[in-house]
Short mmCIF file of all heavy atoms in Angstrom, two decimals:
data_model
loop_
_atom_site.label_atom_id
_atom_site.label_comp_id
_atom_site.label_asym_id
_atom_site.label_seq_id
_atom_site.Cartn_x
_atom_site.Cartn_y
_atom_site.Cartn_z
N GLY W 119 -23.20 13.94 23.69
CA GLY W 119 -22.99 12.91 22.66
C GLY W 119 -21.87 13.32 21.72
O GLY W 119 -21.02 12.53 21.33
N GLY W 120 -21.88 14.57 21.33
CA GLY W 120 -20.86 15.10 20.42
C GLY W 120 -19.49 15.02 21.06
O GLY W 120 -18.50 14.65 20.40
N ARG W 121 -19.46 15.33 22.35
CA ARG W 121 -18.15 15.30 23.04
C ARG W 121 -17.62 13.87 23.12
O ARG W 121 -16.43 13.64 23.00
CB ARG W 121 -18.28 15.93 24.44
CG ARG W 121 -18.39 17.46 24.40
CD ARG W 121 -18.15 18.07 25.77
NE ARG W 121 -19.17 17.70 26.76
CZ ARG W 121 -20.38 18.28 26.86
NH1 ARG W 121 -20.70 19.27 26.05
NH2 ARG W 121 -21.23 17.90 27.79
N THR W 122 -18.53 12.90 23.30
CA THR W 122 -18.09 11.49 23.33
C THR W 122 -17.45 11.11 21.98
O THR W 122 -16.38 10.50 21.93
CB THR W 122 -19.30 10.56 23.61
OG1 THR W 122 -19.87 10.96 24.85
CG2 THR W 122 -18.91 9.10 23.66
N ALA W 123 -18.13 11.50 20.91
CA ALA W 123 -17.59 11.18 19.58
C ALA W 123 -16.26 11.91 19.35
O ALA W 123 -15.31 11.33 18.80
CB ALA W 123 -18.61 11.57 18.51
N ALA W 124 -16.18 13.17 19.80
CA ALA W 124 -14.94 13.95 19.61
C ALA W 124 -13.79 13.31 20.40
O ALA W 124 -12.65 13.27 19.91
CB ALA W 124 -15.16 15.40 20.05
N ARG W 125 -14.11 12.82 21.58
CA ARG W 125 -13.06 12.15 22.37
C ARG W 125 -12.56 10.89 21.66
O ARG W 125 -11.36 10.59 21.66
CB ARG W 125 -13.61 11.77 23.77
CG ARG W 125 -13.41 12.87 24.82
CD ARG W 125 -13.58 12.32 26.23
NE ARG W 125 -14.88 11.69 26.45
CZ ARG W 125 -16.01 12.35 26.76
NH1 ARG W 125 -15.99 13.67 26.93
NH2 ARG W 125 -17.15 11.70 26.94
N ALA W 126 -13.48 10.18 21.02
CA ALA W 126 -13.09 8.96 20.29
C ALA W 126 -12.15 9.32 19.12
O ALA W 126 -11.18 8.63 18.85
CB ALA W 126 -14.33 8.23 19.78
N LEU W 127 -12.46 10.43 18.46
CA LEU W 127 -11.59 10.88 17.36
C LEU W 127 -10.20 11.23 17.89
O LEU W 127 -9.18 10.89 17.28
CB LEU W 127 -12.16 12.13 16.68
CG LEU W 127 -13.41 12.00 15.82
CD1 LEU W 127 -13.70 13.33 15.11
CD2 LEU W 127 -13.23 10.90 14.78
N HIS W 128 -10.21 11.89 19.02
CA HIS W 128 -8.95 12.31 19.65
C HIS W 128 -8.08 11.09 19.94
O HIS W 128 -6.89 11.06 19.63
CB HIS W 128 -9.29 13.09 20.93
CG HIS W 128 -8.09 13.61 21.64
ND1 HIS W 128 -7.40 14.72 21.20
CD2 HIS W 128 -7.44 13.16 22.74
CE1 HIS W 128 -6.37 14.93 22.01
NE2 HIS W 128 -6.37 13.99 22.95
N ARG W 129 -8.71 10.07 20.53
CA ARG W 129 -7.98 8.84 20.89
C ARG W 129 -7.42 8.16 19.63
O ARG W 129 -6.27 7.74 19.58
CB ARG W 129 -8.95 7.90 21.63
CG ARG W 129 -8.40 6.55 21.97
CD ARG W 129 -7.57 6.58 23.25
NE ARG W 129 -6.81 5.34 23.43
CZ ARG W 129 -5.49 5.25 23.29
NH1 ARG W 129 -4.77 6.31 22.97
NH2 ARG W 129 -4.88 4.10 23.47
N ALA W 130 -8.28 8.06 18.60
CA ALA W 130 -7.84 7.40 17.36
C ALA W 130 -6.68 8.17 16.72
O ALA W 130 -5.75 7.58 16.17
CB ALA W 130 -9.02 7.29 16.39
N ARG W 131 -6.73 9.49 16.84
CA ARG W 131 -5.66 10.32 16.25
C ARG W 131 -4.34 10.01 16.96
O ARG W 131 -3.28 9.91 16.34
CB ARG W 131 -6.03 11.80 16.38
CG ARG W 131 -5.41 12.69 15.31
CD ARG W 131 -5.83 14.15 15.46
NE ARG W 131 -7.27 14.37 15.43
CZ ARG W 131 -8.00 14.38 14.32
NH1 ARG W 131 -7.43 14.18 13.17
NH2 ARG W 131 -9.30 14.58 14.38
N GLU W 132 -4.44 9.84 18.28
CA GLU W 132 -3.23 9.51 19.04
C GLU W 132 -2.70 8.13 18.63
O GLU W 132 -1.49 7.93 18.50
CB GLU W 132 -3.54 9.48 20.55
CG GLU W 132 -3.73 10.84 21.14
CD GLU W 132 -4.14 10.78 22.62
OE1 GLU W 132 -4.62 9.71 23.08
OE2 GLU W 132 -3.99 11.81 23.30
N GLN W 133 -3.62 7.19 18.41
CA GLN W 133 -3.20 5.83 18.07
C GLN W 133 -2.52 5.79 16.70
O GLN W 133 -1.48 5.15 16.53
CB GLN W 133 -4.42 4.89 18.09
CG GLN W 133 -4.94 4.61 19.50
CD GLN W 133 -6.31 3.98 19.50
OE1 GLN W 133 -7.22 4.41 18.78
NE2 GLN W 133 -6.51 2.96 20.32
N VAL W 134 -3.11 6.49 15.73
CA VAL W 134 -2.51 6.50 14.38
C VAL W 134 -1.17 7.25 14.42
O VAL W 134 -0.17 6.80 13.83
CB VAL W 134 -3.48 7.13 13.34
CG1 VAL W 134 -2.79 7.31 11.99
CG2 VAL W 134 -4.72 6.25 13.20
N ALA W 135 -1.14 8.36 15.15
CA ALA W 135 0.12 9.13 15.26
C ALA W 135 1.20 8.26 15.89
O ALA W 135 2.36 8.26 15.44
CB ALA W 135 -0.11 10.38 16.11
N SER W 136 0.83 7.49 16.89
CA SER W 136 1.81 6.65 17.58
C SER W 136 2.40 5.60 16.63
O SER W 136 3.61 5.33 16.65
CB SER W 136 1.13 6.00 18.78
OG SER W 136 1.96 5.05 19.34
N LEU W 137 1.56 5.04 15.78
CA LEU W 137 2.06 4.04 14.81
C LEU W 137 3.13 4.65 13.90
O LEU W 137 4.06 3.97 13.49
CB LEU W 137 0.89 3.52 13.95
CG LEU W 137 1.26 2.50 12.87
CD1 LEU W 137 1.71 1.17 13.48
CD2 LEU W 137 0.09 2.26 11.92
N LEU W 138 2.97 5.96 13.61
CA LEU W 138 3.88 6.61 12.65
C LEU W 138 4.99 7.42 13.33
O LEU W 138 5.81 8.03 12.64
CB LEU W 138 3.08 7.55 11.73
CG LEU W 138 1.92 6.93 10.95
CD1 LEU W 138 1.20 8.02 10.15
CD2 LEU W 138 2.41 5.84 10.02
N GLY W 139 4.97 7.48 14.64
CA GLY W 139 5.93 8.34 15.33
C GLY W 139 5.66 9.81 15.08
O GLY W 139 6.58 10.64 15.09
N ALA W 140 4.41 10.15 14.85
CA ALA W 140 4.02 11.54 14.53
C ALA W 140 3.33 12.19 15.72
O ALA W 140 3.06 11.54 16.74
CB ALA W 140 3.07 11.52 13.33
#
Side-chain angles (χ1 to χ4, degrees):
R121 285 195 295 280
T122 302
R125 270 196 303 277
L127 289 186
H128 182 76
R129 175 83 192 109
R131 207 179 302 283
E132 286 176 341
Q133 289 166 315
V134 172
S136 171
L137 178 68
L138 304 177

